[in-house]
Amino acid sequence: MTKTNLTRRTALIGAAGAGLAVSSCSKSPDVFQPVENGHFNHGVASGDPDQTSVMLWTALTNDAGGYRGVEVARDEGFTDIVFEQGEEITYVMMQPLGTLKILATGLEPGAGYFYRFRLNDQYSPVGVTRTLPEGALDQYRIGVFSCSNFPAGHFNVYREAAENGDLDLVVHLGDYFYEYAPGEYATENSEAMNRVPAPARETVTFEDYVQRHAQYKSDPDLQALHAAAPWIISWDDHETANNAWREGAQNHNEGEGSWEDRRDAALRAWYDWQPAREPGADLRQHRGTYEIGDLATLCLLESRLTARDQEIGLDTFPIASDADDTDPANLEAVAAWKRDVVGAEERTLLGAEQIADIGAACGASKAAGKPWRILANQVIMARVNFPNFATEMPGWLRWWATRNSEFARQFIMRTRFGIPFNLDMWDGYPAERERLFAALRAVDADVITITGDVHSFWANDLVDNDGNRIGTELVGASVTSPSPFSGFKAPGVDYGRMMVEANPDVGHCNMEDHGYIRLTLTPAAADAEFVRVSDILTRDYRASVESAWRVRPASSGTVAAAERVS
């Protein structure tokens, strides 16, 4: 099947399984309509593609047994079926909710397919998937997403990408869901939008995580994007608990059992509810390399649960927050803290084995003559410090922010010393970043890093401590999660501009919008559009391109910076 035979319109018609419906909130008639009753209320999904296979997923509601299976076809009428697998299941009692994952094999490289699941005489909505291409390739388009918080707003970003993205692949960089209870982070509008988290508590047990996954997969806009393209999905922290690391998490507290039990319960639910290939014995090992024809190599990173050391807290800051910022002794104490505490050589994020694997994959990609190496990464990799808010923030706003908050006062005063923007990001592990950059330089491999987590759009340079340019970082805004300074919005205060002015490696920062990155790869350029939506509190929105960026392939040892083209 050629790509032109598998259009966005036919994909969405097929995914709807029930024709087209016109929505008063959309100018396009191509609106995905999920199944609301029956056995397939959570949609369908595909993921982890390679050149000849792809994982297919669905959930089954009220499964009382009988035949269940999947069909994959070249045509939307399912007259040319190329893969079919199923079996008869007998249960003692009805299963209220379960999942079904089947690896479709024997497919052709770079080909598009329709697929649908069947439970007895009922069929699921139809999804569209695509294997990874091999050989010469003129163009490949990736959608980059992260931070989709169900109670924070409607998933209009997913809807926009499903209807207008024309994507070959979706890469989701984590925080696919959030573990918090009602009344906690980003839930203040959830009742008005009928998006209250379920279960009505923090997710701790396997059953809790399953219920939360099921709630997210009930969303029609998320279902639409899952049905429109294959996904490669990583996790960040909220799939387990906030600020997770290899031995715990900031949001794993006394009375919530052992960290290992909670982590493994969360990961088991994650694998059950995502179109991801099953791991070996260690559930944490979800990373790998994906080859996209002769255009690109994509490396999926795991930066949370296998090697990450615990985040350094600002309670280790070596001097009083209101100390004299002109005193040489104070400046030296802060410099020593950055160098010896935050920058301790033994602190790891990916670990030596993963860095070696990334270096090997990128070296092979470079040797094969591929123009692009993509690192699918969770947290900002570039060097970013806070602006000096003691001078950059208007006095009235500083007063308002600190009037009832000693924490805010101390934080603002500490920014006078050039503290890292977030110690949970690569800036909290600078020695590990240098090891990664050294591994890439050793094989003469430049990279484009695609990043999530920070709920804002960024275009950054990746530069090592010796001033060598390693590549470009493109950071996508959130689907719905609040931007970093959403609680301190004020007329005329542009936090993104402050970030750019304070950091030579930051070329662009937008801390206002929600959206995704539409990354189009060709042999001549990597073109990134930062696509934003106008609203997430209602389902009526407009989409636009916030900015567009172009990266050229490295030439004669020179790694090009991203260039703004609109």
Side-chain angles (χ1 to χ4, degrees):
M1 173 182 292
T2 64
K3 183 175 179 179
T4 54
N5 289 335
L6 199 62
T7 64
R8 174 178 63 88
R9 181 179 177 84
T10 58
L12 288 166
I13 294 172
L20 296 176
V22 177
S23 167
S24 62
C25 297
S26 174
K27 295 181 180 179
S28 169
D30 299 344
V31 176
F32 177 90
Q33 293 294 329
V35 173
E36 296 182 354
N37 295 292
H39 297 303
F40 298 100
N41 300 324
H42 298 85
V44 297
S46 68
D48 268 0
D50 63 17
Q51 278 65 27
T52 61
S53 64
V54 63
M55 184 63 75
L56 305 177
W57 175 96
T58 194
L60 301 173
T61 302
N62 297 332
D63 175 9
Y67 179 83
R68 61 181 192 172
V70 72
E71 298 172 349
V72 180
R74 291 189 176 94
D75 66 307
E76 60 185 306
F78 286 83
T79 62
D80 187 6
I81 294 176
V82 298
F83 177 88
E84 185 173 9
Q85 183 175 309
E87 60 181 336
E88 293 279 344
I89 300 290
T90 301
Y91 296 120
V92 174
M93 61 179 61
M94 183 184 69
Q95 306 297 304
L97 182 63
T99 57
L100 177 60
K101 289 169 65 172
I102 295 176
L103 183 67
T105 59
L107 307 179
E108 297 178 2
Y113 297 95
F114 297 90
Y115 66 96
R116 64 185 180 185
F117 288 87
R118 175 184 158 196
L119 180 59
N120 297 319
D121 60 353
Q122 186 174 123
Y123 285 97
S124 73
V126 175
V128 171
T129 193
R130 181 172 294 277
T131 52
L132 294 182
E134 65 181 23
L137 196 62
D138 292 331
Q139 177 180 293
Y140 195 80
R141 182 167 290 141
I142 301 171
V144 182
F145 301 82
S146 66
C147 305
S148 38
N149 193 331
F150 185 88
H154 295 284
F155 289 162
N156 295 334
V157 173
Y158 287 149
R159 169 68 59 180
E160 174 60 25
E163 295 190 0
N164 299 306
D166 194 22
L167 303 176
D168 296 302
L169 179 70
V170 168
V171 176
H172 198 291
L173 296 169
D175 294 345
Y176 180 98
F177 86 173
Y178 286 72
E179 82 277 20
Y180 294 113
E184 296 183 354
Y185 175 71
T187 62
E188 58 270 16
N189 297 310
S190 61
E191 290 190 17
M193 294 184 292
N194 194 26
R195 295 176 76 85
V196 176
R201 57 183 176 273
E202 183 180 326
T203 56
V204 175
T205 68
F206 173 76
E207 292 76 16
D208 292 341
Y209 284 103
V210 164
Q211 189 174 351
R212 190 66 57 88
H213 274 289
Q215 180 183 45
Y216 274 61
K217 284 270 195 330
S218 70
D219 184 272
D221 303 319
L222 175 56
Q223 287 188 26
L225 188 54
H226 268 305
W231 288 42
I232 293 173
I233 314 174
S234 68
W235 54 66
D236 193 15
D237 51 342
H238 292 289
E239 286 86 351
T240 50
N242 183 53
N243 285 11
W245 58 291
R246 69 172 180 266
E247 296 180 11
Q250 177 274 330
N251 196 29
H252 181 71
N253 304 306
E254 186 176 352
E256 293 178 338
S258 78
W259 167 246
E260 291 77 12
D261 288 347
R262 180 180 185 177
R263 178 200 68 200
D264 289 351
L267 293 183
R268 184 62 265 163
W270 188 91
Y271 281 107
D272 287 352
W273 279 83
Q274 297 293 16
R277 297 178 191 243
E278 291 292 309
D282 188 351
L283 296 178
R284 300 173 298 171
Q285 295 296 331
H286 180 64
R287 60 182 178 91
T289 301
Y290 302 81
E291 302 295 344
I292 302 171
D294 64 350
L295 265 186
T297 297
L298 187 148
C299 296
L300 182 71
L301 278 53
E302 198 296 300
S303 62
R304 276 290 168 191
L305 303 177
T306 55
R308 177 189 279 259
D309 280 303
Q310 187 172 16
E311 174 187 351
I312 296 291
L314 280 177
D315 57 353
T316 65
F317 195 71
I319 59 175
S321 61
D322 56 359
D324 183 355
D325 62 350
T326 63
D327 186 333
N330 291 337
L331 298 177
E332 174 54 33
V334 173
W337 173 73
K338 291 181 180 180
R339 181 184 64 244
D340 301 330
V341 179
V342 178
E345 283 292 324
E346 66 272 15
R347 287 178 52 72
T348 60
L349 186 68
L350 301 181
E353 179 182 349
Q354 188 172 180
I355 288 176
D357 289 346
I358 294 167
C362 290
S365 176
K366 184 76 173 181
K370 298 187 180 187
W372 307 113
R373 281 144 297 283
I374 312 295
L375 302 187
N377 163 68
Q378 288 72 52
V379 295
I380 283 185
M381 188 176 287
R383 299 176 297 190
V384 183
N385 283 339
F386 273 112
N388 181 353
F389 284 138
T391 58
E392 294 300 308
M393 187 180 285
W396 66 266
L397 183 56
R398 291 200 306 275
W399 171 85
W400 182 84
T402 62
R403 69 196 190 286
N404 294 315
S405 174
E406 178 61 17
F407 172 84
R409 187 194 70 81
Q410 290 191 21
F411 160 71
I412 288 174
M413 294 300 286
R414 282 178 181 143
T415 65
R416 297 176 300 141
F417 294 93
I419 61 174
F421 173 52
N422 191 332
L423 292 170
D424 187 54
M425 297 178 178
W426 281 84
D427 270 330
Y429 307 82
E432 186 85 322
R433 179 171 54 201
E434 287 301 300
R435 287 189 285 269
L436 174 62
F437 287 174
L440 294 169
R441 289 195 65 216
V443 294
D444 191 30
D446 59 308
V447 296
I448 293 176
T449 295
I450 52 177
T451 298
D453 179 72
V454 73
H455 312 169
S456 40
F457 286 121
W458 304 61
N460 300 326
D461 286 335
L462 297 176
V463 181
D464 70 14
N465 286 344
D466 294 326
N468 300 298
R469 185 186 299 280
I470 307 300
T472 292
E473 180 171 41
L474 302 170
V475 184
S478 67
V479 174
T480 57
S481 298
S483 60
F485 298 105
S486 58
F488 298 97
K489 286 185 177 180
V493 178
D494 186 341
Y495 293 104
R497 177 190 57 78
M498 292 183 195
M499 286 291 178
V500 172
E501 292 178 353
N503 292 283
D505 294 346
V506 177
H508 179 71
C509 180
N510 172 349
M511 291 196 170
E512 296 291 329
D513 291 314
H514 300 278
Y516 76 102
I517 300 173
R518 191 171 182 255
L519 179 63
T520 303
L521 304 176
T522 67
D527 286 308
E529 297 167 287
F530 291 177
V531 180
R532 62 184 171 189
V533 298
S534 60
D535 192 18
I536 61 169
L537 297 182
T538 74
R539 299 194 69 205
D540 187 6
Y541 71 90
R542 298 177 307 280
S544 61
V545 175
E546 183 268 343
S547 61
W549 301 81
R550 176 166 295 159
V551 182
R552 298 289 187 183
S555 177
S556 302
T558 300
V559 179
E563 172 190 2
R564 184 165 183 168
V565 293
S566 69

